[in-house]
Amino acid sequence: FDRSAVGEPQQLQARIDAYGATVVVSTPAQLSRWPALPGFATLRPVPRAFFSSGGPLAHAAALDYARAFDAAPTEIYGSTETGGIASRRQSDTAAWRPLAGIEARRAEDGALEVRSPHLGHDAWHRTDDAVQFDADGRFNLLGRLDRIVKLDGKRVSLPELEARLALHPYVAQAAAVLLAGASRERVGAVVALTDAGSAALCSEGRIALAKTLHRHLADYVDAVVLPRRWRFRIALPFDVRGKLPAAALAATFEPRAESAEVLAEA
């Protein structure tokens, strides 16, 4: 195992050169950025496998690896309590297959429940992830149950809002968060823009861009639950583990002393 900190693609290439046959284990935050950097598709010798964990790898990034290396990274889904639960390779399927020794089932409310030797007991462990099983025993993740909220009597799935936003050509990634207001709660949307979206931001301004995305969502969801506040970024505020904490999303809407809007942080 080589735990050297690698800050540039050239450094990783040097480590691969030194070892020859390698397996790369990383996080979605790291792996999703790599295809845009020089030298990605020319790695030699090609690593025997890529593993990704800590969150779902974007489908577009998975396909970048499949095109360059004939297979998408093997993603591992799990938690601190359960250890690894399931795996998938998006060049084959979007569904997750439970790992050996793991039992999985769907609770009445749609939550994933698992039995794992890593738990230290034989009882079923409930997760906060909603799932749907297929006939082959694999499952698709439908979002976290704690991210289904109610506004003015209307239920809204924040993951569904994010998925709908991501269908627009201006949107590379999107994250929705519930914001506490003086009189009522509202949904805020943090959007990482594509090149086309960035061009629209520059040429039309943020108000016009927000209205465009607002109209796009209005075709899918009730007007009551549409985002009322928007933040446009170069990248979403992932933490060092590749997670996207709700607190970090909410912080992007806090008032700032400076008059500039933050587009990215490092």
Side-chain angles (χ1 to χ4, degrees):
F1 290 87
D2 185 340
R3 297 174 58 197
S4 303
V6 173
E8 298 178 0
Q10 293 85 351
Q11 292 175 300
L12 185 57
Q13 179 66 71
R15 308 312 296 164
I16 292 174
D17 289 341
Y19 290 107
T22 57
V23 172
V24 176
V25 181
S26 193
T27 65
Q30 178 85 6
L31 292 171
S32 62
R33 289 165 172 78
W34 198 3
L37 299 176
F40 167 74
T42 58
L43 282 176
R44 295 295 183 273
V46 174
R48 294 189 175 183
F50 293 88
F51 282 87
S52 177
S53 191
L57 181 65
H59 182 63
L63 295 186
D64 285 336
Y65 283 80
R67 283 190 291 267
F69 307 117
D70 297 326
T74 297
E75 297 173 68
I76 305 297
Y77 161 68
S79 69
T80 304
E81 297 82 12
T82 62
I85 293 175
S87 69
R88 72 174 179 181
R89 185 176 285 165
Q90 291 192 64
S91 51
D92 299 330
T93 177
W96 298 87
R97 182 177 295 281
L99 298 172
I102 301 295
E103 295 180 66
R105 70 182 185 185
R106 184 177 185 270
E108 289 186 3
D109 64 351
L112 174 67
E113 295 182 336
V114 299
R115 284 205 292 212
S116 165
H118 303 293
L119 286 168
H121 58 76
D122 294 329
W124 287 97
H125 174 84
R126 177 186 170 87
T127 73
D128 288 324
D129 292 322
V131 295
Q132 184 67 52
F133 279 83
D134 63 20
D136 295 324
R138 298 174 300 190
F139 61 84
N140 286 290
L141 294 171
L142 305 180
R144 292 181 63 84
L145 291 170
D146 59 1
R147 300 195 70 220
I148 299 176
V149 299
K150 185 174 285 189
L151 293 174
D152 293 343
K154 299 284 187 179
R155 287 168 59 86
V156 57
S157 166
L158 298 182
E160 181 183 358
L161 275 182
E162 294 164 353
R164 295 296 187 184
L165 271 173
L167 295 176
H168 196 279
Y170 288 171
V171 178
Q173 287 181 295
V177 62
L178 194 63
L179 301 172
S183 58
R184 58 193 293 193
E185 291 179 313
R186 295 288 194 185
V187 173
V190 184
V191 176
L193 297 170
T194 61
D195 289 344
S198 295
L201 178 63
C202 291
S203 63
E204 302 171 19
R206 67 183 314 279
I207 294 177
L209 178 57
K211 287 182 177 179
T212 296
L213 297 180
H214 195 275
R215 288 193 298 269
H216 166 72
L217 277 182
D219 291 335
Y220 301 106
V221 299
D222 194 285
V224 172
V225 301
L226 288 171
R228 291 296 190 269
R229 302 186 65 189
W230 299 82
R231 289 291 183 268
F232 300 114
R233 306 283 293 251
I234 295 170
L236 297 184
F238 290 99
D239 64 18
V240 294
R241 297 179 300 158
K243 303 287 187 181
L244 196 57
L249 292 172
T252 65
F253 293 92
E254 293 175 357
R256 295 177 179 267
E258 64 271 22
S259 58
E261 180 174 346
V262 176
L263 296 181
E265 301 171 45

